[in-house]
Amino acid sequence: MASRSARVSRERPFYLRHADAYDELITDPVEPWVAAVHSRAPGADLLDAGCGTGRHAAAFRALGHHVELADASPALLALAARRCPGARTHLVDLCSLGLASAFAAVTCRGVLNDMITDGERQAAVTALAAALRPGGALFLDVREEGAARRRADGTEHTRTAGALTFTSRTTWRDGLLMVDERYGDAAYHFRMRPWSAGELEARLTAAGLRVTEIGPGAGRRTPDRLFVVAQAPPSAA
Ligand SMILES: C[S@@+](CC[C@H](N)C(=O)[O-])C[C@H]1O[C@@H](n2cnc3c(N)ncnc32)[C@H](O)[C@@H]1O
């Protein structure tokens, strides 16, 4: 576990001590993302990279996909495994994933924003591309930098899950989202880095993929997300 984002995944209270509250706090519907992927890669065996609690993975399984789960947070991965009995799990840093040519589809939703250095970002994209079989497809959901910057207005958002009061506040500095979270009395600060279409194109191309779609996020409630599809080249044979 070497990358900075993998370390954050293991220490952020949202992904650790309060992992059980994740599904109560994050309630956007799974169907639009699952439908967007399924319609483009029906039945594909897939890796859910950065699977969180496995809510999308379970929906893919219900549609007949063989799904494997990967995440750096042991607490979230355990919840995903419980939700997807029998699914193979990978407790890994996506920046050094090491799963070569294994999947017809790789999905990575809401994850790549956690990678803020150029090195991490290219390593993650390259590792995800390497996990694809020839002709396979990578599906991404990322924050778009212009809209993310406009949304980061310092407003406090408070939600509750059982006895937990969760507050978050996001501002923008030097190309990064500065996120302050409070969980009752505990506080946690971390940074995220949204993406531009140009950076996506450059990094995915450098990883050997061909970008076939960049458009609005699939079923996102806010306009600061991008839905991205990139294809691995077909086999040379
Ligand atoms: C915002 S959550 C999204 C979870 C899920 N994909 C969803 O849409 O509900 C981001 C996830 O990415 C994982 N993650 C972030 N950086 C990672 C890394 N370097 N390696 C593996 N997982 C990582 C976190 O642990 C977390 O589960």
Side-chain angles (χ1 to χ4, degrees), residues 185-201:
D185 291 340
Y188 188 71
H189 172 79
F190 69 104
R191 294 169 293 167
M192 289 193 284
R193 181 174 160 197
W195 292 71
S196 67
E199 183 186 2
L200 285 162
E201 184 82 47

Side-chain angles (χ1 to χ4, degrees), residues 20-118:
D20 283 337
Y22 188 100
D23 289 338
E24 270 189 79
L25 294 169
I26 305 295
T27 57
D28 56 320
V30 300
E31 291 80 10
W33 168 256
V34 171
V37 172
H38 179 71
S39 63
R40 290 164 175 83
D45 54 329
L46 65 86
L47 176 72
D48 190 351
C51 60
T53 60
R55 54 203 188 111
H56 300 96
F60 283 124
R61 279 161 58 107
L63 289 172
H65 294 262
H66 168 86
V67 181
E68 296 191 19
L69 307 163
D71 207 283
S73 160
L76 293 179
L77 192 61
L79 291 171
R82 206 182 305 157
R83 186 178 248 156
C84 302
R88 187 164 179 208
T89 60
H90 305 271
L91 180 61
V92 283
D93 182 351
L94 296 180
C95 299
S96 50
L97 181 60
L99 293 174
S101 304
F103 300 94
V106 173
T107 60
C108 188
R109 180 184 185 276
V111 178
L112 295 181
N113 317 296
D114 291 353
M115 287 138 201
I116 61 173
T117 68
D118 287 344

